[in-house]
């Protein structure tokens, strides 16, 4: 119950200087990271800090990915939450981060959710892409797709778009899916991987045994 109350208060806390009415994002995201990102979008909108927050988080995400030591500190369960929250707020002030960005970092630290920071940032970037009329699509394949396959896939994905939308595709290779594709476009997710089919068939066989 406590965690639910914290999430319910998150948007109001992030935008303490702004009006209390929630601003709904252009796309609905689910999961804990989706709720944090949605609350941040609402707060940043009311504070007129959307672009600055996106810039802050994009830079922070790149820094964390490049700096192994910082990444370990951010995700460490050992470091005291209050100490980390204070350190992050001080760092945000030195880097001239927007207040909404600083508040998010402090809240994630206070709630012991810093390990979710990367996925929260990614979720916020997805919302911002939708805000600009972009539809973010991630394609995961067992091996890199060739030019012909990419063109065919892009043509198929564009059928999901509305007239005022543009497609933004990112590709990732994951050999563990064996074959097939995993496609996420906007808030839709389709798993066509061979690994998932094998798992499904195995479960069916085991349940029938």
């Amino acid at each position: 119950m406590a965690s639910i109350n914290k999430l319910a208060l998150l948007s109001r806390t992030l935008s303490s200087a702004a009006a209390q009415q929630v601003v709904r994002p252009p796309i609905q995201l689910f999961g804990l990271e989706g709720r944090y990102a949605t609350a941040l979008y609402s707060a940043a909108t009311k504070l007129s800090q959307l672009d600055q927050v996106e810039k802050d988080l994009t830079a922070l995400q790149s820094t964390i990915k490049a700096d192994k030591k910082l990444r370990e500190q951010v995700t460490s369960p050992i470091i005291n939450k209050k100490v980390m929250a204070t350190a992050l707020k001080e760092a945000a002030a030195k880097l001239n981060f927007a207040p909404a960005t600083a508040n998010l970092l402090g809240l994630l630290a206070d709630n012991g959710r810093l390990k979710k920071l990367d996925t929260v940032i990614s979720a916020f970037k997805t919302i911002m892409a939708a805000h600009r009329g972009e539809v973010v699509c991630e394609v995961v394949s067992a091996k890199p797709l060739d030019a012909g396959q990419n063109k065919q896939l892009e043509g198929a994905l564009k059928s999901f778009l509305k007239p005022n939308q543009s497609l933004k595709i990112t590709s990732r290779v994951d050999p563990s899916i064996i074959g097939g594709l995993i496609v996420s476009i906007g808030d839709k997710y389709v798993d066509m991987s061979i690994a998932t089919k094998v798992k499904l068939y195995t479960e069916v066989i085991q349940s029938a045994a």
Side-chain angles (χ1 to χ4, degrees):
M1 181 65 70
S3 61
I4 294 175
N5 290 336
K6 285 180 181 178
L7 285 168
L9 293 170
L10 179 58
S11 181
R12 294 198 294 272
T13 306
L14 284 170
S15 58
S16 57
Q20 298 301 310
Q21 186 176 359
V22 174
V23 178
R24 295 190 181 280
I27 185 173
Q28 184 178 8
L29 298 181
F30 301 95
L32 188 64
E33 58 271 20
R35 282 177 278 176
Y36 272 98
T38 297
L40 178 60
Y41 175 83
S42 178
T45 299
K46 289 182 284 186
L47 292 168
S48 300
Q49 295 174 1
L50 273 179
D51 291 339
Q52 181 60 47
V53 168
E54 183 180 28
K55 183 180 177 181
D56 294 343
L57 294 181
T58 298
L60 181 60
Q61 189 177 46
S62 297
T63 300
I64 291 174
K65 285 183 178 179
D67 190 329
K68 183 180 178 181
K69 184 176 180 181
L70 176 60
R71 185 166 64 251
E72 289 175 348
Q73 289 176 336
V74 167
T75 58
S76 173
I78 300 173
I79 299 177
N80 182 277
K81 292 189 294 185
K82 290 184 178 179
V83 172
M84 180 57 77
T86 300
L88 284 173
K89 286 179 181 178
E90 290 176 354
K94 290 180 181 178
L95 293 169
N96 293 318
F97 279 178
T101 306
N103 287 343
L104 172 72
L105 296 176
L107 280 168
L108 286 172
D110 285 337
N111 296 341
R113 301 291 188 183
L114 274 176
K115 63 182 179 181
K116 288 281 188 180
L117 178 58
D118 185 64
T119 54
V120 170
I121 293 175
S122 294
F124 182 76
K125 288 164 74 174
T126 297
I127 291 175
M128 285 301 294
H131 174 78
R132 290 188 292 268
E134 300 171 355
V135 176
V136 176
C137 175
E138 183 185 52
V139 179
V140 182
S141 57
K143 59 182 180 180
L145 302 179
D146 60 36
Q149 291 171 322
N150 277 320
K151 186 176 181 179
Q152 185 177 11
L153 179 62
E154 184 176 351
L157 292 171
K158 282 184 176 179
S159 65
F160 289 92
L161 303 182
K162 295 177 182 178
N164 61 334
Q165 293 179 326
S166 60
L167 188 64
K168 186 176 182 181
I169 301 177
T170 59
S171 300
R172 181 164 59 88
V173 174
D174 182 359
S176 69
I177 72 171
I178 304 174
L181 296 172
I182 298 175
V183 179
S184 59
I185 178 168
D187 56 357
K188 299 177 179 66
Y189 179 86
V190 181
D191 188 341
M192 300 175 287
S193 66
I194 291 178
T196 297
K197 291 179 180 178
V198 170
K199 181 181 178 183
L200 177 61
Y201 296 153
T202 301
E203 290 173 351
V204 171
I205 292 170
Q206 288 177 340
S207 65

